[in-house]
Amino acid sequence: DGRLLIHDPNQEIKDMDLSLYRSELTQLVARKGVETLYQPLVDAKTVEILGYITSFSITGSLFTNFLEAAQFARENKQNEPLIKMVLRKAVARYYNMRRNNKHLLFIPIGLGGVEFISDAFSTQPFAADIKMVFMLEEQDFANTFVSVEEMLKHIKKIKKQKYEVCLIISDTELTLPDKIYGEVDYFMVNDKILNHTQDDERERLYLLASLGKLLRHQKPIMITDLPKWSEIEYYIRAGVDYVASDEISKKDATLLTIDKKKALRIINFSKRK
């Protein structure tokens, strides 16, 4: 009758893929298929280990990496079981391996996972003996909330449970209300910024200027994922408090220490500031 019928298979494929990935995520949680890695964060002056930064990885999965799985979980309302599983696994492994009760355990968590922290440890009474610091992204706050009150609400919810908060600086420009920077306990810069500043001196200077502004809050400043020794030296001499790098000690399923030769090298950087 002259009508043109168009079949679009993409929608069917998308629906099938979502179902497939939902099932994959459910199985990932059930088998606890997320590997927990730890990396020492060291004092730039004394090379004493402040604590360990936790990261998560997955292999043999439809998901390319853990961040992809976490993002899918948030978008498809499967966030709670995934967050609880990785928190419990990270804390249990750390508790069984730790050698120093003073060390801090830094754990990345999205804003959507803050509400699950308490329930995650309800079956792990030993978790109360671990000094935990939850890492939140500056950009997550900027993209999620408009009011300062809503931002503070999430920070205070973590602190009310006797944990500390580390704010990951997401941009060379400080994007949040000043009050938020005053409420957190640590500032951290990672590869999200460093990838842009490594070969761009102007961006690097912007970053140093931003870190300089944060100094008045009198909170420790950390830089992680430093790719080579020249970068480690640069930021230590610039005055950062703590550093982490594969050059110093790699991410590992165990709690690694610092080689003496590398420790002396770092101390020498501090002396030459």
Side-chain angles (χ1 to χ4, degrees):
D1 59 3
R3 288 181 299 173
L4 179 63
L5 302 180
I6 300 176
H7 171 63
D8 181 6
N10 292 327
Q11 186 62 44
E12 292 181 13
I13 292 173
K14 183 178 179 182
D15 290 343
M16 180 183 69
D17 284 349
L18 286 177
S19 176
L20 192 64
Y21 279 99
R22 287 193 191 102
S23 176
E24 172 70 11
L25 191 59
T26 299
Q27 292 177 36
L28 188 70
V29 172
R31 69 174 187 270
K32 299 180 181 177
V34 177
E35 184 179 8
T36 307
L37 301 174
Y38 307 92
Q39 185 172 40
L41 183 66
V42 301
D43 189 306
K45 293 180 181 178
T46 65
V47 202
E48 292 183 3
I49 296 176
L50 174 69
Y52 288 85
I53 302 171
T54 310
S55 58
F56 305 108
S57 68
I58 54 177
T59 56
S61 171
L62 291 175
F63 296 106
T64 306
N65 51 49
F66 178 76
L67 289 178
E68 184 179 289
Q71 181 178 347
F72 182 86
R74 288 195 302 270
E75 293 171 352
N76 291 272
K77 298 181 179 179
Q78 290 180 278
N79 200 25
E80 182 174 358
L82 179 66
I83 291 295
K84 288 182 178 180
M85 184 271 287
V86 296
L87 287 180
R88 287 168 180 160
K89 187 170 182 177
V91 169
R93 284 182 60 81
Y94 177 80
Y95 180 80
N96 290 328
M97 293 187 293
R98 68 175 183 165
R99 296 177 293 272
N100 189 323
N101 294 341
K102 294 181 180 180
H103 286 164
L104 306 176
L105 181 62
F106 290 80
I107 306 177
I109 190 169
L111 286 173
V114 172
E115 61 182 301
F116 308 130
I117 293 174
S118 179
D119 286 346
F121 302 133
S122 61
T123 58
Q124 295 179 318
F126 56 82
D129 296 330
I130 299 175
K131 297 178 179 180
M132 282 183 258
V133 182
F134 288 98
M135 300 154 58
L136 297 172
E137 291 267 2
E138 176 188 43
Q139 205 59 47
D140 279 354
F141 279 105
N143 293 338
T144 307
F145 304 117
V146 175
S147 72
V148 178
E149 289 72 23
E150 283 296 316
M151 297 180 190
L152 290 174
K153 181 179 177 182
H154 277 71
I155 294 173
K156 290 177 179 178
K157 190 165 188 175
I158 294 175
K159 291 195 168 189
K160 190 175 181 180
Q161 299 175 66
K162 310 296 184 187
Y163 304 125
E164 292 184 297
V165 177
C166 175
L167 186 66
I168 300 174
I169 305 301
S170 307
D171 200 302
T172 52
E173 294 291 333
L174 301 179
T175 58
L176 299 180
D178 196 59
K179 192 171 184 179
I180 302 303
Y181 299 108
E183 285 294 322
V184 302
D185 303 288
Y186 303 90
F187 299 119
M188 180 179 288
V189 174
N190 59 18
D191 60 339
K192 288 189 176 180
I193 292 182
L194 294 178
N195 288 340
H196 300 293
T197 61
Q198 188 175 345
D199 299 315
D200 190 328
E201 188 61 28
R202 179 178 293 182
E203 285 296 311
R204 179 180 281 183
L205 291 174
Y206 286 154
L207 173 58
L208 291 179
S210 295
L211 296 181
K213 293 176 183 177
L214 293 175
L215 286 175
R216 59 195 173 87
H217 295 290
Q218 299 182 330
K219 309 293 174 64
I221 296 176
M222 313 166 175
I223 295 194
T224 69
D225 302 305
L226 291 165
K228 49 191 177 182
W229 278 105
S230 60
E231 294 289 299
I232 296 170
E233 179 178 8
Y234 180 90
Y235 285 104
I236 287 178
R237 294 181 69 181
V240 300
D241 300 296
Y242 299 94
V243 293
S245 168
D246 284 347
E247 292 290 334
I248 299 172
S249 187
K250 294 184 180 296
K251 300 178 179 71
D252 195 84
T254 62
L255 303 181
L256 299 179
T257 55
I258 309 299
D259 178 78
K260 185 178 289 187
K261 289 183 179 179
K262 293 180 179 180
L264 290 173
R265 190 172 183 179
I266 293 170
I267 290 171
N268 287 333
F269 292 158
S270 291
K271 289 179 178 178
R272 292 203 298 267
K273 284 197 294 185

